[in-house]
Amino acid sequence: MKELEREPVCLALGYFDSVHLGHRNLISAARKYALEHGIGCAVATFSNNAYKQFNPDGKVVYTYSERCTLLEGMCDYVLPMRFDSRMKGYDAERFLDILTDKYDIKAFVCGYDYLFGAGAKGDAEYLEKYCAAHGLDCIVAEKFELDGNRVSTTDVKDLLCDGDIEGANKQLGAPFMLCGKVVHGRGAGRMFDIPTANLKLPSDKLLPASGVYGSTCVIDDSVYYGATNIGSRPTFGLSKTVVEIMIKDFCDNIYDKDITVYLHKYLRPTQKFDTPALLSRRVHEDLRWSEHND
C-alpha cells in the first residue's frame, strides 16, 4: 500500500482499528467522491496503538500492518499518523492545519460521531465549518447499522472477547484475521500426525476468547483448512496462552514464515484430555468442520 505524499486526494478520517462495515461504508463514500473528481482516495489511520495513550493495556483488533492489508483495494493511499503525547495535545484546528499544510487535500470524509483534537473537542460539525472556511468539501457519513444495531469497534471487541466469532465477522464484513510469524513450539503436532503452526503475534493484538476455532490459513497464496487453538494447553499442563493452528492436508516446513489465519467458527472450549491420544482424536474431529465448507 502506497503512503500519501502530495497527490490531490479525498481523505477519510478515523482510526479504522477494525475496518468494520461502518468503516468500509465511510471509505466507500471517500472512494466515490475521489472517482467523481478524478483524484486519489486516502485513508488516515494510526501507525501505532493509540489506545495506549489512555490505557496501557489497550488492545487493537488489527495492527497497522493488518489494516494496510485490509485497506488494499479500498483506497489508493494510506496516511499513517503516530498518536503520541504531542499529537494528543493538538487542538482540532491545529490537527487539521497540519494535514492541509502537508497534503493536497480536496475533501474530507468522516463519520457522524467522529471526534478529534485535544479533549475530543473537534467533531463532524467542526470539520464541516473548517472545510467551508478553507474551500474544501466535507462529507459526513451517517450512522451505519446492521440488523437495526450500530456497528462499532467496541461491539466487535466485545463479540471477540465473548468468543462469538461469527457475530464479530458479521460486523467486520470479513473473517477475523491474525497475521504472524510461525515459530517453534513443542512439536506436539507431530505426535498426532497433524502439522501445527505456532503464531507469534504482537502483544497488543486482541485475541478472541480461549477456545478452538474452525479456521483457514493462507500460506504462499494457497488456502488450507485448519483448527486454531487460542489459549492454554491443559492436557500438557501448560497455562501460557498460545495461538496454534492445526493444518489439514499440509506437510511443508513453514518455520519463520509469515502466514495469515482467518477464524470462521467457534468449535469448542479449550479442555483437558486424559491422554494425548484422546486429544489427537478430538483434534481430528475438529478438523472435520471444513467438510461442511468445501
Side-chain angles (χ1 to χ4, degrees), residues 29-236:
R31 184 71 170 171
K32 182 175 183 291
Y33 179 97
L35 288 172
E36 290 175 347
H37 292 81
I39 59 177
C41 172
V43 173
T45 187
F46 295 120
S47 59
N48 62 324
N49 184 347
Y51 299 127
K52 285 187 175 294
Q53 285 290 323
F54 306 97
N55 178 6
D57 297 323
K59 305 284 187 180
V60 294
V61 175
Y62 288 129
T63 65
Y64 173 68
S65 177
E66 288 172 334
R67 267 175 273 140
C68 286
T69 297
L70 289 168
L71 291 170
E72 191 77 41
M74 295 186 199
C75 62
D76 302 306
Y77 306 98
V78 168
L79 193 166
M81 301 184 296
R82 182 169 183 81
F83 190 82
D84 52 22
S85 57
R86 183 175 64 172
M87 177 176 281
K88 186 178 177 182
Y90 292 157
D91 63 27
E93 183 175 21
R94 173 65 174 152
F95 173 71
L96 295 174
D97 284 345
I98 289 173
L99 290 176
T100 53
D101 287 346
K102 187 173 182 180
Y103 303 105
D104 187 8
I105 299 169
K106 303 300 183 183
F108 284 106
V109 177
C110 74
Y112 75 100
D113 58 350
Y114 179 60
L115 299 174
F116 63 101
K121 293 183 178 180
D123 56 13
E125 183 179 358
Y126 183 95
L127 180 62
E128 287 180 313
K129 292 178 179 178
Y130 179 94
C131 288
H134 291 79
L136 306 174
D137 286 336
C138 182
I139 301 168
V140 177
E142 297 181 358
K143 178 169 64 175
F144 185 89
E145 295 185 337
L146 182 67
D147 300 329
N149 298 309
R150 175 177 174 268
V151 174
S152 72
T153 294
T154 297
D155 285 347
V156 169
K157 287 183 173 182
D158 288 343
L159 290 165
L160 289 172
C161 290
D162 288 341
D164 186 357
I165 195 66
E166 292 175 88
N169 289 347
K170 193 172 182 180
Q171 291 210 14
L172 290 171
F176 178 66
M177 177 177 72
L178 305 104
C179 298
K181 186 180 292 294
V182 178
V183 296
H184 287 273
R186 297 176 60 250
R190 290 193 294 272
M191 296 168 53
F192 314 143
D193 192 30
I194 305 171
T196 303
N198 291 270
L199 283 188
K200 182 179 181 180
L201 298 167
S203 61
D204 60 350
K205 167 77 174 180
L206 179 70
L207 296 179
S210 294
V212 178
Y213 296 83
S215 54
T216 53
C217 63
V218 179
I219 305 171
D220 294 332
D221 298 323
S222 294
V223 179
Y224 301 89
Y225 281 103
T228 297
N229 175 53
I230 297 177
S232 62
R233 291 161 290 179
T235 301
F236 301 102

Side-chain angles (χ1 to χ4, degrees), residues 221-271:
D221 298 323
S222 294
V223 179
Y224 301 89
Y225 281 103
T228 297
N229 175 53
I230 297 177
S232 62
R233 291 161 290 179
T235 301
F236 301 102
L238 301 172
S239 59
K240 180 182 178 181
T241 296
V242 297
V243 177
E244 54 182 1
I245 175 170
M246 283 63 74
I247 310 171
K248 185 179 180 182
D249 301 326
F250 185 81
C251 60
D252 293 350
N253 182 345
I254 54 173
Y255 288 125
D256 297 322
K257 186 180 289 290
D258 292 314
I259 69 171
T260 301
V261 176
Y262 298 93
L263 305 185
H264 301 270
K265 184 178 182 179
Y266 181 84
L267 300 180
R268 62 175 174 86
T270 300
Q271 60 193 105

